[in-house]
Amino acid sequence: MTETAPFAGAARIREAALHGQRTPSRGAPPPPRRGGLRALLAGLLRTARPKQWVKNTLVAAAPAAAGRLFSIHALTQLALVFVLFTACAAAVYLINDARDAEADRAHPTKRHRPVAAGLVPVPVAYAVGGALAVLAPVAAAWSTSPAVAALLTAYIGMQLAYCVSLKHVLVVDLTVVTTGFLMRAMAGGLALAIPLSRWFLITTGFGALFMVAAKRYSEAVQMAGKAGATRALLTEYTTGYLRFVWQLAAGVAVLGYCLWALEEGGVPHTGVLPWRQLSVVAFILAILRYAVFADRGTAGEPEDVVLRDRALTVIGVVWLVMYGLAVADW
């Protein structure tokens, strides 16, 4: 027994050393920067989260709803607003990652982010993020409209406040993320001076809240009984409350869409079929299909849910066709 004790002690020392290598301390020095200018540019691009840019296509929502999508002026303005919103979102990501670099180095997956990994120095991330945060609203005021510039400024301010403190406040965090989606949907309408109807705002806002709450609910379900939540605030929510939120949001979104579809606004229907009313069926089916994944706790990023489920994709395409025919009054 006494002869094996030194070997056991040595094994424990080796195990502790290996554990220390796998789990760097919070106060660990930043890793040395690797690569040159090309690596730096690639790191900045990765930090801008290109996968998330698909969300910015929501800028076309209001013009599409008003039937003013297909014109040279509209397409040019929407492309410009898309780029400007992408720049604003990239500014927030860069500043957020620079601020959280030290904490991210102690995280098993976030430590691979370019800023935390040393590919992008923290001062560079702050500088590029700050420059984009200033230049994007200025460019919007010069090339689109003051309303779009004000919206982008409000978006940046709100998202930075979220990164600093609001993401730790119950319910407010859900509201901020939902408002970000709603601002994207409003931007295209403001750029083209399109009045935003109450039904458009209600349906878009609560539809976004439905997907945001479903994602949070899924995260809460998957982390139940596990240590190390990626979002500390999830421990403050209950799965029952998050379920209530996404169910309430889904109901209000459906109600808002139905009221829009049934409100003729004094304009007589002249199309072949009442596409406006028929599109309600596809919209409700899409909500119900999405709710299946929310209920299972597998509703992650909205774009992933829609694109990975063939039935939901087909329902979405059918709804788009019906909606387009309703707007065109065909």
Side-chain angles (χ1 to χ4, degrees):
M1 187 73 174
T2 56
E3 294 179 357
T4 58
F7 296 100
R12 285 195 295 270
I13 292 173
R14 287 196 302 271
E15 182 179 354
L18 290 173
H19 179 74
Q21 293 174 5
R22 288 194 300 265
T23 310
S25 63
R26 185 178 178 84
R33 180 181 166 188
R34 302 189 298 271
L37 179 61
R38 185 175 180 179
L40 175 62
L41 295 176
L44 288 172
L45 180 61
R46 282 178 53 199
T47 307
R49 316 283 205 278
K51 186 178 178 181
Q52 303 294 330
W53 295 357
V54 67
K55 297 175 182 177
N56 298 329
T57 57
L58 279 173
V59 299
R68 292 177 53 184
L69 186 59
F70 299 106
S71 70
I72 299 299
H73 173 70
L75 293 176
T76 302
Q77 285 292 300
L78 291 178
L80 183 58
V81 173
F82 174 87
V83 172
L84 293 173
F85 228 112
T86 300
C88 290
V92 174
Y93 288 134
L94 283 162
I95 295 174
N96 176 73
D97 284 9
R99 183 177 180 275
D100 294 343
E102 185 178 347
D104 288 348
R105 292 186 189 112
H107 193 277
T109 56
K110 292 182 180 180
R111 62 189 177 90
H112 298 297
R113 288 179 173 177
V115 179
L119 293 174
V120 177
V122 171
V124 174
Y126 272 125
V128 176
L132 289 174
V134 173
L135 292 176
V138 171
W142 176 72
S143 58
T144 58
S145 70
V148 175
L151 180 71
L152 293 180
T153 303
Y155 173 82
I156 292 173
M158 182 184 69
Q159 292 299 323
L160 291 179
Y162 175 82
C163 295
V164 173
S165 62
L166 296 184
K167 64 182 178 182
H168 303 298
V169 183
L170 284 171
V171 181
V172 174
D173 71 309
L174 296 175
T175 304
V176 171
V177 178
T178 300
T179 304
F181 281 97
L182 185 59
M183 284 181 166
R184 288 174 170 87
M186 294 171 60
L190 293 177
L192 298 177
I194 297 173
L196 301 173
S197 73
R198 60 186 183 276
W199 303 130
F200 173 81
L201 296 174
I202 290 173
T203 303
T204 304
F206 281 93
L209 179 59
F210 165 56
M211 291 186 289
V212 170
K215 181 183 176 183
R216 289 287 194 274
Y217 173 78
S218 298
E219 292 174 342
V221 169
Q222 292 171 11
M223 65 156 279
K226 299 179 182 178
T230 57
R231 299 181 190 271
L233 194 62
L234 278 178
T235 59
E236 302 295 326
Y237 285 114
T238 64
T239 54
Y241 175 78
L242 291 172
R243 173 185 286 272
F244 162 75
V245 173
W246 68 254
Q247 290 177 338
L248 174 66
V252 177
V254 168
L255 178 61
Y257 190 87
C258 289
L259 290 174
W260 168 82
L262 298 175
E263 182 185 70
E264 293 291 349
V267 179
H269 168 70
T270 59
V272 177
L273 290 173
W275 298 114
R276 186 166 169 154
Q277 289 79 14
L278 290 175
S279 68
V280 170
V281 177
F283 185 84
I284 294 176
L285 284 176
I287 293 290
L288 292 175
R289 182 71 183 183
Y290 199 101
V292 170
F293 299 97
D295 186 64
R296 292 175 180 171
T298 57
E301 293 291 343
E303 59 271 19
D304 292 337
V305 177
V306 174
L307 296 177
R308 290 180 181 177
D309 182 65
R310 183 175 300 177
L312 185 56
T313 302
V314 171
I315 294 172
V317 171
V318 171
W319 173 78
L320 282 173
V321 171
M322 287 185 172
Y323 189 91
L325 292 173
V327 171
D329 196 24
W330 185 79

